[in-house]
């Protein structure tokens, strides 16, 4: 009988700890959800203060351009390293985009022509 009682006691302990684990997991998920909600709501709650702050105004002037330059550079370098043609398709497409944007000042036209040049050179449709 003592072995049966010991097994019953072990089962009771395991069930209690399993319940504690579920409660712990539920609390962790709840806390993570509240933190996520707070982080996402903070910019909306502080919008008026942020719109007038000097640092935010300075960042708003140069950060979008800096982010686009970094993303473009990262993409061009990564793509140039992924094939044997070297960086020439990327450089040619980038040059087409820059020239078309300076000449026509139409972003959609510049992007479409740049993509067409890149796809043509990358797939060697002209060769």
């Amino acid at each position: 009988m003592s072995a049966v009682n010991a097994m019953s006691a072990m089962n009771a302990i395991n069930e209690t700890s399993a319940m504690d684990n579920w409660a712990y997991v539920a609390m962790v998920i709840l806390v993570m959800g509240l933190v996520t909600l707070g982080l996402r709501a903070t910019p909306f709650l502080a919008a008026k203060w942020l719109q007038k702050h000097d640092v935010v105004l300075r960042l708003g002037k140069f950060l979008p351009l800096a982010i686009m330059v970094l993303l473009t550079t990262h993409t061009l370098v990564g793509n140039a390293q992924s094939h044997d043609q070297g960086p020439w398709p990327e450089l040619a497409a980038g040059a087409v985009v820059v020239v078309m944007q300076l000449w026509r000042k139409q972003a959609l036209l510049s992007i479409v022509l740049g993509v067409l040049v890149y796809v043509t050179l990358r797939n060697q449709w002209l060769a």
Side-chain angles (χ1 to χ4, degrees):
M1 283 307 258
S2 65
V4 171
N5 287 340
M7 289 299 285
S8 296
M10 288 299 286
N11 285 339
I13 291 172
N14 286 339
E15 288 176 11
T16 303
S17 68
M19 289 302 288
D20 289 342
N21 286 340
W22 283 109
Y24 176 76
V25 169
M27 288 303 293
V28 167
I29 291 172
L30 178 67
V31 169
M32 288 185 338
L34 291 173
V35 168
T36 301
L37 179 67
L39 290 173
R40 290 177 184 241
T42 299
F44 296 104
L45 297 174
K48 288 186 180 182
W49 177 80
L50 286 173
Q51 289 173 351
K52 298 174 185 172
H53 198 273
D54 291 338
V55 173
V56 174
L57 293 174
R58 272 187 274 142
L59 286 175
K61 289 182 181 175
F62 78 89
L63 202 56
L65 177 61
I67 290 171
M68 288 306 296
V69 167
L70 286 172
L71 288 172
T72 303
T73 303
H74 180 271
T75 301
L76 291 177
V77 170
N79 284 340
Q81 293 174 350
S82 70
H83 55 84
D84 295 334
Q85 297 170 337
W88 304 117
E90 288 81 9
L91 291 174
V96 167
V97 169
V98 169
V99 168
M100 288 303 297
Q101 186 59 30
L102 291 174
W103 179 45
R104 301 296 287 176
K105 298 193 183 347
Q106 292 181 359
L108 183 60
L109 177 64
S110 301
I111 292 168
V112 168
L113 286 177
V115 168
L116 287 175
V117 167
Y118 177 72
V119 170
T120 301
L121 293 176
R122 181 74 190 263
N123 292 318
Q124 298 178 348
W125 288 346
L126 297 177

